[in-house]
Structures are given as structure tokens and as C-alpha cells.
Amino acid sequence: MSSKKDIVIINQDSGYLMIDLANAYSLAGYNVSLVAGRLVQRDKALAKDICLKKIIKFNRTSTIKRLLTWCWGTFEILVYIILKCRNKHLLFVSNPPFANLVTLFVKNPFSLLIYDVWPDALTEFGVFSKHSIFVKWWQKSNIKVFGKAKRIITLTPGMKNLLMKYSGAKAVEVLPIWTDNKFLRPIKKESNKFVHQHNLAEKFVVMYSGNLGYTHDVEVLVDLAAKIKDKDIQIIIIGEGDKREILQKKIVDSKLDNCTLLPFQSAEDLPFSLASADIAVVTLGKDASKLSIPSKTYNLMSVGAPLLCIAEENSELNNLIGRYQIGQCFRAYQLEAMYDFIMELKQSPQKHKLYASNSLKASKDFGPENIYKFIDHHVH
């Protein structure tokens, strides 16, 4: 019988973070299983000795489809744990939101890695009423779940404060996220294939790359494009989601040739697309400002991009960019101030270079070595 410890990482929508984490646990001597509906690989593959259990993919195209895929995914996770994971340590990673509630029905030891605070995020977005019986039950269940957890880990001090209503006296660890500063790095325009492909060599590029969901204030960029008369500035919006058709219609109706909408780029092309940004945009809807921090923020630091952030003043995102002096944060209605920021950085190469340098320097605090802070050799 193997003397290795077992860990099952559960995250319905998994990307490079989960691949890195699973691989690190494997290298540390664990038998690792990863439960995921989708696995998005970048430059690193999942180690061959890791068991990948596929469940239903998370479908983000509508609220109903989100809820249905979350519910079915949670059911699949419960069945898998009961049939295949008896006594194994479980690590739940926020997606699907209901997943960690299965610990009310199984006896496995478990830990929580909180990227998003549930049900708080769903009530803030108006998916459920704060006063519904279901939400009240969920909140009470959270207190039980958090009380039983071996470890509770989250990403920022602000999220830790939010979680204290569920964790009580139980310690919540704040461990920073990471990105890959070798895969993502600055690339000069003259050697950037994305720049050449889209004729951006002579352009000052303001870029958003990510989900185009209803919680993201991406349409502000189309409004900015309409306001900007400098023909050297090009706004690029990359992504898919609920707002894509709305954005496309708005661009066409406004007859904007300085605003381009592109699909998600392949993992192979991602380093080139991100590195083409002279200013990178990160949006965080008003209701999510205290509840999460987009992981793309750290990827954009790796390419040395100054950040234009659209988020609330009291958001963790605003705190981050203020701490490292890597850009500025605006509310969605501050169109004039965003315009001034873009023009200032275009017209002042020295100011642009300072933000870019600070961004690249900040990325060193969020390198792959942070993965090992997550690995606790005494989970059993």
C-alpha cells in the first residue's frame, strides 16, 4: 500500500493556477486528483501521474446555465467523493459555489481555498435575494463548513475580513496568488507577432483581455474610443461572454475604427497579445469589488503593463495598484478621468515607463514560488 498522502483538488473551471498547484502537490509526494469540468493549459501540462476526473463544464453564457452546471457539477463531485475518495483530503476552490457544502454529507478531511466569497457574490449580483430562505440556510451552513475545515486560505486581507463572519475564531490564512514570469514577460513591439498581425506597431494600445460578462464594465472602453480623437490610439477588446454582441453592435453603430473586438487568443498567443498592451484594463464590477481580485491582474504585471482599473475606491484591486504604484483606479462613470490618464501616459513616455517598471517589479512578488506556500505537509 502506498505511504503517500492523498489530496483531491476540486475546481470546476481550472486553469494554470490549478495545474501549477496540482503539479506542486505531486512533486511534494502526494497522490493528486484534480476534479474539473474544463482544464485550460498554458505552457505547462498537468503531470502524468495526476488523476484528472472530468465533470460537467461550467457554462457562463447565461444565469440559468451557470446555475444548472454548478448544481450538476456539485452532484457529480458528491458522487465521486462517496465512491472514489473515501478518507482522502479534499481541497475546494470556490467553483462550483455549492461544492464545499458536500462536506455536510461526507466525513473527509478538507480545506478551503477561497477565490470568491459565496453566497455573498451571488446576492450582490442579484442572482439570489439576501433574505431568501436558501441564502440564509447557505450562510448558516458556511459557518458549519468553515468550522470543520482543516485550513481556510484566501488571497487578500479584505477577503479575509469578509470571511470572518463564517470562520469565527478559526484562522484564515492570506496567501498571495501567482503567475508565471517566464511564460509572460515584456516583448518589444518589433518582435511581437500579435502586434504585426493586427498592424499595431505604430499604435498606442489600450487593451482589455478577459470575460465579457454582465459584471464587467467593458462598454466603457467603447465610450472611450468614441471620445478619443488621437488616431494613434487603438482600443483592443479580447474575450467572449454575455456582452460581446452588445459591444459589437455599439462599435458598428458608432462607426469606430479605433476599437477592435477580438476572440480569446490561444494559450500559445497569449504572451504576445498581453505584451502588446501599452495600457492594460482590469474591470471589477461594483458589487464584486470587495469579493474578489481578478487573477489577470498578476498576468498583466508580468508583461510590465501599466494598469487602468475600473473598480470601487474601497476595492482590493485599488489597494493593490496603489501599494505598488502600477496605474490608476477609476469608477465606471469617470470617463473624463480615464481619458486624461490614457492621454497622459501616451504623451509622457517617462510616466509610462515608471508605471511599466513598477508593474514588472511588482510581478516578482507574485511568482511561481508562491505555490509552495499553499502546500501544507500535515493536511491529514
Side-chain angles (χ1 to χ4, degrees), residues 344-362:
E344 180 188 15
L345 263 61
K346 181 180 183 289
Q347 293 165 5
S348 173
Q350 192 174 358
K351 187 74 174 281
H352 182 273
K353 187 177 179 181
L354 176 64
Y355 278 132
S357 173
N358 287 349
S359 193
L360 192 59
K361 199 182 299 179

Side-chain angles (χ1 to χ4, degrees), residues 68 101 119 121 129 132 137 179 203 220 238 282 292 302 331 333 349:
L68 286 174
L101 297 176
S129 164
S132 71
W137 172 81
T179 184
K203 298 290 187 179
V220 170
I238 299 173
V282 181
S292 63
S302 291
R331 265 47 75 212
Y333 59 83

